[in-house]
Amino acid sequence: MLNRLRRQAASALTLLALFAAASTPAPQANPDRYLNDVKMLASPEMEGRGAGTKGLIRAQHLIEKRYKGLHLDAAGTNGYAQPFTVSTGARLKSDNQCSISQGGSRTDLKIEDDFVPFSFSSSGRVDGPLVFAGYGATADEFHYDDYAGLDVKDKIAVVLRYEPSGFVEKGKHQGLTQHSQLITKAINARNHGAKAIIVLNGKLGDGEEDLLTRFGSVSGPEDVGIEIVQVKNALADSWFQAAGKSLKDVQDEINSSTKPASFAFPDNLQISLNIDIETTHATVNNVLAWLPGKTDEYVIIGAHYDHLGRGNFDSLAPSQIGQVHPGADDNASGTAGVLELARLLAPRRGELKRSVLFMNFAGEELGLLGSAAWVKSPTRPLEKAVAMVNMDMIGRIRDDKVFIGGVGTGSTFKGILEGAQKETSFKVEYSAGGYSSSDHTSFVSKKIPVLFFFSGLHSDYHKPSDTWDKINAPSAARLLDLVENVAIQLANADERPTFQVVAEEKPPGGGGTGYGPYFGSIPDFGQEVAGVKFSDVKPNSPAAKAGLKAGDILVQFGDKPIKNLYDFTDALRRSKVGDVVEVKVMREGQPMTASVKLEQRK
């Protein structure tokens, strides 16, 4: 009798405990903890978390320390870390020379006083005569070509910065066109057969100095395939005088007529260049932690923790390059979110049906390099990943509006999200597609369903003004509660979501849409090949219709060689909707051609 009473009492206590557990709300994200993490990640000591900086290493160690404190298992290749190498820029070596021979006399120019190479220039020695190629533009849409009728083969092209003033009027553009970009001028000169290109500032505004561009401040590939330097106007004036012209008059003539005024300089004017540039590299680390569940299937929760350091060409505040870009929203906000979710989920060790892999990526700002490195060399089997949840810029929620991308990539996502949203006040804008400019894109190419949480762009993006005091911590914490709800449902669901191919649409939050007509390939940013390797090809795109597929390496687009992504971008911009372009790709080491009909970009 006593034993039966004891059993009944024990059963009653068990039921009471279960009822109490069921009625106890799940732990919620803490806005103060969250904001403190954002503050630390965006502090001056972190130096903007640029690749190759001590600040990025400090951020890595902060994340690792947090995971250790939560007793999460290390999931990298070196403890919590997964190292990989990135290119961080370039530096001038000791043997950069430029000399001018004119009428029997020679003048040696001083590096960074009289001339400076661009960081994407080829290295090597070049000697030859000069030709003036106006603004270095070939603009079919304006019926304008500075190279028309100009023999530039194996010569050095002298070109002006910017573009003819008439381009704006003819094209009804707001601002300058792509023909003003230095990388476009370099590719165009190379494709016309020039062996080097010299850039002049040309006409200056009132009070404007004839300054040389700071080395490393202009975006470009590691090697554009041609030597390119900038020379000051004062040195070039004598070149024009030797041709019976003046720099000012020639530039005014082009601007007033929007017609080329190209010519060859006298044969006795020769330039000798020696460019000596070294690409700089750094080893950076993804940081990975594992929360074991009951099975080896797993849900990924990730965010990138790197940012721009002190800006360089990525900065959208060019006058403030050199100042720390703290990246509070981009992406200390997402990184702090991963850490807070790790804190909330760590006590569930062994309880969830599926495991959770927490991922913090480096190299995102350099081209999704960290996520690309992981999917190429995964530290857990790719086939066991049921979903990837990415957070990038979640800290500036306004009017309770949030964006969730990738909803169509998983068969169960819409139902899970709509159920979870009912418990919040958020106004959610959904996007079905899984491709955009953040790390989840690397997982879509491996057919892993993705969700992308984002609070939208703002005027502080990629500027030193992206500071912690502008973070809306209470709303971000509420969003983390939503993400936690979704992650737990994905971890505990009876069936894993099936990956679904989605016809592309507008990216979440009004993000970028690419350049020129629509082609439909996704570049492999982690590539180390000549050409452009495709990590994927979007379904029903022009590239897909032509039979191109993931793994192909684009090496020719029409009559233009493709050596890198900048070449591909330039070629697309020069094309029109409806053009049928013959392309050549390398597939498993063998050349293959295809006809791609370009379409209107959506």
Side-chain angles (χ1 to χ4, degrees), residues 200-202 204 208-212 230-235:
L200 308 176
N201 279 329
L204 303 170
E208 184 181 0
E209 296 182 63
D210 184 23
L211 299 176
L212 296 174
Q230 184 180 11
V231 171
K232 285 193 171 180
N233 286 347
L235 291 162

Side-chain angles (χ1 to χ4, degrees), residues 95-307:
D95 195 20
N96 284 282
Q97 301 174 24
C98 180
S99 61
I100 303 167
S101 299
Q102 187 173 6
S105 64
R106 170 176 160 157
T107 303
D108 293 324
L109 307 189
K110 293 180 64 177
I111 183 75
E112 296 188 284
D113 286 339
D114 301 320
F115 83 103
V116 66
F118 289 94
S119 59
F120 47 83
S121 173
S122 293
S123 289
R125 185 171 186 85
V126 175
D127 301 276
L130 299 179
V131 293
F132 177 65
Y135 285 94
T138 299
D140 292 342
E141 68 271 36
F142 302 129
H143 306 290
Y144 180 99
D145 186 1
D146 282 310
Y147 289 94
L150 183 68
D151 179 13
V152 72
K153 180 71 173 173
D154 293 331
K155 296 181 173 63
I156 298 172
V158 178
V159 304
L160 299 164
R161 291 287 297 269
Y162 311 116
E163 65 187 20
S165 55
F167 280 15
V168 174
E169 298 169 11
K170 286 187 174 184
K172 297 181 171 58
H173 289 273
Q174 296 296 318
L176 298 170
T177 73
Q178 73 267 20
H179 302 290
S180 68
Q181 296 178 6
L182 289 168
I183 188 66
T184 302
K185 295 176 189 288
I187 292 169
N188 198 33
R190 185 200 71 201
N191 288 346
H192 277 91
K195 60 166 123 180
I197 177 173
I198 295 174
V199 179
L200 308 176
N201 279 329
K203 189 174 183 178
L204 303 170
D206 292 340
E208 184 181 0
E209 296 182 63
D210 184 23
L211 299 176
L212 296 174
T213 302
R214 184 172 62 84
F215 181 81
S217 65
V218 180
S219 175
E222 288 188 19
D223 181 351
V224 72
I226 187 173
E227 281 76 5
I228 174 171
V229 302
Q230 184 180 11
V231 171
K232 285 193 171 180
N233 286 347
L235 291 162
D237 281 338
S238 63
W239 309 347
F240 286 84
Q241 290 169 8
K245 302 175 185 291
S246 80
L247 173 57
K248 178 183 180 301
D249 290 346
V250 171
Q251 187 167 7
D252 285 344
E253 178 186 344
I254 298 172
N255 285 341
S256 63
S257 65
T258 317
K259 292 181 180 179
S262 304
F263 61 88
F265 288 100
D267 290 340
N268 66 350
L269 178 62
Q270 300 273 321
I271 294 285
S272 177
L273 289 170
N274 193 73
I275 308 302
D276 191 15
I277 295 173
E278 179 181 56
T279 300
T280 56
H281 297 90
T283 297
V284 297
N285 291 278
N286 294 328
V287 186
L288 311 163
W290 181 260
L291 176 67
K294 295 176 180 178
T295 70
D296 58 356
E297 287 189 337
Y298 59 98
V299 175
I300 299 166
I301 299 176
H304 75 90
Y305 72 98
D306 66 307
H307 193 54

Side-chain angles (χ1 to χ4, degrees), residues 553-566:
I553 301 171
L554 180 68
V555 295
Q556 188 84 17
F557 186 95
D559 61 351
K560 297 176 176 62
I562 304 299
K563 300 178 182 297
N564 51 59
L565 189 58
Y566 289 85

Side-chain angles (χ1 to χ4, degrees), residues 557-590:
F557 186 95
D559 61 351
K560 297 176 176 62
I562 304 299
K563 300 178 182 297
N564 51 59
L565 189 58
Y566 289 85
D567 285 345
F568 185 24
T569 299
D570 182 77
L572 265 183
R573 281 173 159 168
R574 295 181 183 280
S575 305
K576 298 187 291 295
V577 172
D579 284 354
V580 177
V581 182
E582 293 293 317
V583 303
K584 183 167 86 171
V585 301
M586 300 301 293
R587 178 176 293 175
E588 298 178 350
Q590 298 299 315

Side-chain angles (χ1 to χ4, degrees), residues 377-406:
S377 302
T379 59
R380 291 291 187 274
L382 277 179
E383 67 274 11
K384 298 291 185 177
V386 304
M388 191 276 171
V389 178
N390 183 36
M391 295 179 289
D392 196 345
M393 297 177 65
I394 62 167
R396 297 280 289 267
I397 296 172
R398 298 180 295 274
D399 302 322
D400 260 0
K401 186 173 183 180
V402 297
F403 305 93
I404 306 177

